[in-house]
Amino acid sequence: MPTPLILDTDPGVDDAVALVLALRSPELDVRAVTATFGNVGLEHTLPNAQRLVALAGRPDVPVARGAARPLVHPQLERAARWHGADGLGGRAETLPDGIPLDPRPAVELMADVLRTATEPVTIAAIGPLTNCAVLLAAHPELADRIGRFVIMGGSLRGGNTAGAAEFNVYADPEAAHRVLTQPEVPVTLVPLDLALRCAAGADWVAGLAAGGPTGAVLADVIAAYRIAFREHYGRDVVALHDAVALMEAIRPGILHTTPMPLLVACDLGPARGLVVPDGRPDAPGPPVAVSLDADVEAVLADIAARLKD
């Protein structure tokens, strides 16, 4: 039976690949897509989610409006440099018209999906964790309906934003701390450490473009992101952070994990958003399954195959 899934996202170029990947994978039964602020503002990420669901040919999947800002402090950094002002490399307007918006707020749609599910629901969170933190706080009675969180975020060896943090966690460290340190729901974390190793090269992007109309649209969206990555890192590759995380939801165990309790720095200094493993043998926090290894070529090949029309 397909795994019921809620996808919480801030599209975002790599989110776009992940969202279509989820909707194209028969192993998943995507029950809802919830948008949050993140790479760009909610005024862009929400219509991007609606357009991407339309691109994937899945108007049956509801899309709902989520958080427009972090739980406590203002968002200090966005990622238009990487994703373009519209979040999709300046190509949002080339996508199909978006599907209609579900009238429920994101957290209420998530709660409704959990209430009506007859088996545990996976929540794949590939943006800031604000919606997930609010869900846990507002509906603690539904925690046992969540099979696990699969999260793209954090870094154990240096981040990609201000200070030492990874972007998704840095966008709302308080929300990340709430989700990563709670004991009620298992968490699998796909950090930047692994995601950067799973960057796709020029041949992969060319194959995506040649794989059919949907892949051609995604390859077009990726173009500016690829240029930004090359200018910053000196490598002609495309980071597929969120799609790699989605593969763990699609094929549990495809990413190799190590259990470790984690903490998130929520101060306002240069360590803000840093994810810190608690290595004490008597650490009080629940262990998080941190994905640190994978067969990279196999993961990239599987993603590519699923995106072909």
Side-chain angles (χ1 to χ4, degrees):
M1 292 290 291
T3 300
L5 183 97
I6 296 170
L7 179 57
D8 191 50
T9 179
D10 63 332
V13 172
D14 54 326
D15 305 74
V17 177
L19 197 158
V20 175
L21 175 68
L23 294 172
R24 289 288 185 88
S25 295
E27 296 92 339
L28 298 180
D29 175 10
V30 181
R31 304 280 178 91
V33 172
T34 52
T36 178
F37 74 95
N39 289 310
V40 290
L42 187 68
E43 70 275 11
H44 296 297
T45 62
L46 179 59
N48 287 352
Q50 294 171 268
R51 291 175 183 272
L52 289 162
V53 172
L55 176 68
R58 291 294 306 277
D60 56 301
V61 177
V63 177
R65 179 190 304 272
R69 55 152 293 158
L71 289 179
V72 182
H73 298 287
Q75 185 180 9
L76 297 177
E77 184 172 320
R78 288 185 176 170
R81 169 188 175 185
W82 298 93
H83 299 272
D86 66 353
L88 295 179
R91 307 301 292 168
E93 294 295 330
T94 68
L95 270 65
D97 292 339
I99 69 165
L101 188 66
D102 191 281
R104 291 166 287 184
V107 171
E108 291 311 308
L109 174 58
M110 296 166 96
D112 285 345
V113 169
L114 295 174
R115 287 190 194 99
T116 57
T118 57
E119 56 187 305
V121 178
T122 295
I123 298 179
I126 56 176
L129 291 169
T130 315
N131 289 337
C132 296
V134 174
L135 174 68
L136 290 171
H139 297 286
E141 77 283 1
L142 297 176
D144 62 355
R145 301 291 187 96
I146 305 171
R148 65 170 171 159
F149 288 106
V150 175
I151 295 168
M152 192 282 126
S155 175
L156 305 185
R157 298 183 182 90
N160 61 351
T161 187
E166 178 276 332
F167 180 84
N168 286 345
V169 172
Y170 184 72
D172 194 343
E174 287 77 15
H177 185 78
R178 175 69 175 84
V179 176
L180 293 178
T181 62
Q182 52 78 35
E184 292 86 8
V185 181
V187 175
T188 299
L189 183 72
V190 183
L192 195 64
D193 311 67
L194 177 60
L196 283 175
R197 287 178 49 209
C198 296
D203 289 346
W204 190 95
V205 177
L208 176 68
T214 303
V217 171
L218 291 174
D220 189 41
V221 167
I222 283 171
Y225 184 63
R226 178 180 173 186
I227 291 170
F229 199 95
R230 183 170 63 239
E231 291 176 347
H232 186 79
Y233 288 103
R235 300 169 59 202
D236 185 18
V237 296
V238 175
L240 299 175
H241 308 322
D242 297 332
V244 172
L246 251 297
M247 284 304 302
E248 172 59 28
I250 294 165
R251 294 180 55 193
I254 192 173
L255 309 182
H256 308 149
T257 62
T258 300
M260 58 183 75
L262 300 175
L263 301 171
V264 180
C266 294
D267 63 274
L268 297 178
R272 181 167 175 78
L274 181 66
V275 173
V276 182
D278 189 340
R280 295 174 294 172
D282 58 347
V288 171
V290 182
S291 302
L292 294 175
D293 196 16
D295 183 336
V296 172
E297 293 303 319
V299 170
L300 292 176
D302 202 339
I303 294 170
R306 292 167 184 274
L307 293 173
K308 290 183 178 179
D309 289 310

